[in-house]
């Protein structure tokens, strides 16, 4: 069933209003279980410049983290939390919008600092419990928490036409490699690939972490390889013709038809009761 984004937005209300925005985000959290609908709505919102659709697209991108294996969070304006401890701070970039990479990097560093402080607070609480009788085990857990270090990156999600401009800006201004960028189309392609080819979260994380400033080239390469493989795969109709009965009413005998297929580097398969099986001498 086709998902009509405009109809959903009319039910959610004006997304500039906090209650309406929360209502829409709650809907997306539930809909993320069916990422086809999320991708369909994002495609509908992608080229709509009005504020309502821009806010909707921002929330749709945020919710796409779920099918990619992240936990979407509204902290810091929207981020994806990986079970591995890597967090991606999301920021949408509109067409011709000026970039402030310094501010984004500052938010990333703040995220790391605040999370580290929270971890230390947890450690203090556990130490107090340890003093009450579980000191040995609890102290080891506190030590493990203190040794953990959150890794955070900024992820700029941009319109397709802006990807090269944003990539150049990152190359020039992000000396520490703390920022990545991905186009909306590439993000939608990645979500489709994850679902159709059963990629796991670690695969997604590897793509995002090991790519250059832009994730688009690797997603584009994977998509082209998949398209080529799909083009070379016979359709159901072609397979049905290949697997059709031989030797009954055809112009050639089963042996001749099979030899013709072999000469053309094709294949023929038949079951225990396939037509022509008894006449074949293999």
């Amino acid at each position: 069933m086709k998902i009509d984004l405009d109809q959903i937005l009319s039910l959610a209300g004006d997304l500039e209003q906090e209650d309406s925005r929360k209502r829409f985000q709650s809907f997306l959290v539930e809909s993320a279980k069916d990422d086809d609908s999320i991708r369909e709505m994002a495609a509908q919102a992608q080229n709509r410049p009005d504020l309502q659709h821009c806010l909707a697209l921002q929330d749709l991108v945020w919710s796409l983290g779920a099918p990619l294996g992240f936990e979407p969070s509204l902290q810091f304006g929207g981020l994806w939390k990986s079970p591995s401890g890597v967090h991606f701070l999301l920021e949408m970039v509109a067409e011709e919008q000026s970039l402030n990479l310094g501010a984004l990097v500052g938010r990333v560093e703040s995220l790391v600092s605040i999370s580290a402080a929270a971890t230390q607070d947890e450690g203090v609480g556990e130490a107090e419990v340890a003093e009450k009788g579980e000191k040995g085990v609890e102290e080891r857990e506190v030590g493990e928490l203190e040794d953990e270090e959150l890794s955070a990156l900024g992820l700029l999600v941009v319109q397709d036409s802006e990807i090269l401009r944003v990539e150049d800006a990152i190359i020039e201004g992000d000396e520490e490699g703390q920022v990545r960028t991905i186009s909306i189309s590439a993000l939608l392609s990645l979500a489709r690939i994850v679902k159709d080819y059963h990629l796991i979260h670690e695969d997604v994380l590897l793509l995002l972490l090991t790519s250059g400033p832009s994730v688009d080239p690797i997603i584009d390469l994977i998509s082209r390889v998949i398209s080529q493989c799909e083009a070379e795969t016979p359709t159901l109709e072609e397979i049905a013709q290949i697997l059709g009965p031989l030797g009954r009413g055809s112009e050639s005998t089963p042996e001749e038809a099979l030899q013709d297929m072999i000469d053309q580097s094709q294949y023929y398969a038949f079951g225990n009761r396939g037509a022509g099986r008894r006449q074949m001498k293999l």
Side-chain angles (χ1 to χ4, degrees), residues 219-268:
I219 301 300
D220 180 62
L221 175 61
I222 294 172
S223 298
R224 285 189 283 112
V225 171
I226 290 174
S227 297
Q228 182 66 28
C229 292
E230 290 176 345
E232 295 175 355
T233 302
T235 64
L236 290 177
E237 291 77 9
E238 292 170 336
I239 294 174
Q241 292 175 2
I242 294 174
L243 300 183
L246 295 177
R248 289 190 177 182
S250 62
E251 296 180 357
S252 60
T253 65
E255 291 86 353
E256 292 171 342
L258 180 58
Q259 186 61 52
D260 183 62
M261 287 185 177
I262 293 174
D263 291 343
Q264 298 180 46
S265 299
Q266 296 179 335
Y267 301 91
Y268 178 71

Side-chain angles (χ1 to χ4, degrees), residues 20-222:
S20 298
R21 189 78 178 271
K22 288 182 177 179
R23 189 181 305 118
F24 183 62
Q25 290 168 343
S26 298
F27 167 78
L28 294 180
V29 169
E30 291 298 321
S31 300
K33 300 173 184 177
D34 177 19
D35 60 304
D36 286 342
S37 62
I38 298 294
R39 287 188 281 115
E40 185 176 341
M41 287 188 288
Q44 294 176 36
Q46 184 174 355
N47 296 314
R48 304 285 291 275
D50 58 284
L51 181 57
Q52 178 81 337
H53 285 87
C54 288
L55 293 175
L57 182 59
Q58 181 177 333
D59 290 341
L60 286 161
V61 166
W62 167 77
S63 66
L64 271 175
L68 297 180
F70 294 96
E71 176 191 348
S73 170
L74 293 174
Q75 295 175 311
F76 288 85
L79 57 85
W80 291 344
K81 295 181 178 180
S82 169
S84 69
V86 180
H87 292 182
F88 285 91
L89 188 61
L90 303 176
E91 184 170 309
M92 298 289 296
V93 178
E95 188 173 357
E96 298 183 357
Q97 175 183 337
S98 60
L99 299 176
N100 189 343
L101 293 181
L104 177 60
V105 170
R107 291 170 59 208
V108 169
E109 293 174 348
S110 296
L111 171 61
V112 174
S113 299
I114 292 174
S115 299
T119 299
Q120 291 177 357
D121 290 342
E122 291 177 5
V124 171
E126 292 183 3
E128 292 175 351
V129 172
E131 292 177 358
K132 296 181 180 180
E134 300 178 0
K135 187 172 183 179
V137 175
E138 295 295 340
E139 282 183 345
R140 285 196 299 272
E141 292 180 354
V142 171
E144 291 172 359
L145 283 171
E146 290 175 345
D147 290 339
E148 290 179 357
E149 183 177 352
L150 173 70
S151 175
L153 295 171
L155 182 62
L156 297 173
V157 183
V158 306
Q159 295 286 349
D160 297 3
S161 60
E162 295 293 294
I163 188 68
L164 293 179
R165 177 178 73 90
V166 174
E167 181 182 13
D168 289 342
I170 294 174
I171 292 173
E172 182 178 348
D174 179 31
E175 297 180 356
E176 301 298 326
Q178 294 177 282
V179 181
R180 301 286 187 274
T181 185
I182 187 171
S183 69
I184 296 172
S185 293
L187 179 58
L188 297 179
S189 295
L190 176 59
R192 181 184 65 82
I193 292 170
V194 167
K195 179 179 181 180
D196 292 350
Y197 296 93
H198 309 291
L199 299 188
I200 60 176
H201 174 66
E202 285 72 16
D203 298 326
V204 175
L205 203 58
L206 185 65
L207 288 174
L208 295 176
L209 291 177
T210 61
S211 67
S214 173
V215 187
D216 277 42
I218 187 65
I219 301 300
D220 180 62
L221 175 61
I222 294 172

